[in-house]
Amino acid sequence: MNKMKLLKIVNLCLLLSFVVQAGTGIIIYLKIRLPFRPAIFEVHTYNGLLVILLALIHLTLNWGWIRSSYLIKKPH
């Protein structure tokens, strides 16, 4: 699999994971009563770890762009 295709998959997974994290976070914060509320805490916890992993992969795949845009000083 080439880098661009992998990046598209990682970006989509990161977006979906962020939406789940935000949704479960809102449910927890607003103390919304749901019959499966204990599962929400578990989903929020494990999905948080997934967000971190996907963000690290995302940064790794974009490292060349990050380095050239922000870390390498360009001559004037």
Side-chain angles (χ1 to χ4, degrees):
M1 180 177 305
N2 70 20
K3 184 178 170 181
M4 288 309 293
K5 186 171 183 171
L6 181 59
L7 186 58
K8 286 180 182 181
I9 292 168
V10 169
N11 287 345
L12 177 61
C13 291
L14 187 57
L15 172 65
L16 295 174
S17 191
F18 174 79
V19 169
V20 169
Q21 197 68 7
T24 56
I26 290 168
I27 290 168
I28 292 168
Y29 180 75
L30 296 177
K31 298 178 180 149
I32 297 172
R33 301 262 183 224
L34 296 170
F36 47 87
R37 184 166 166 81
I40 295 293
F41 286 95
E42 232 173 293
V43 169
H44 188 75
T45 300
Y46 289 112
N47 188 64
L49 296 172
L50 180 61
V51 168
I52 292 168
L53 176 66
L54 289 169
L56 290 172
I57 294 169
H58 174 82
L59 287 172
T60 301
L61 291 172
N62 284 298
W63 188 248
W65 178 83
I66 293 167
R67 205 174 88 223
S68 67
S69 297
Y70 296 105
L71 302 177
I72 297 176
K73 295 184 179 183
K74 298 174 185 170
H76 297 289

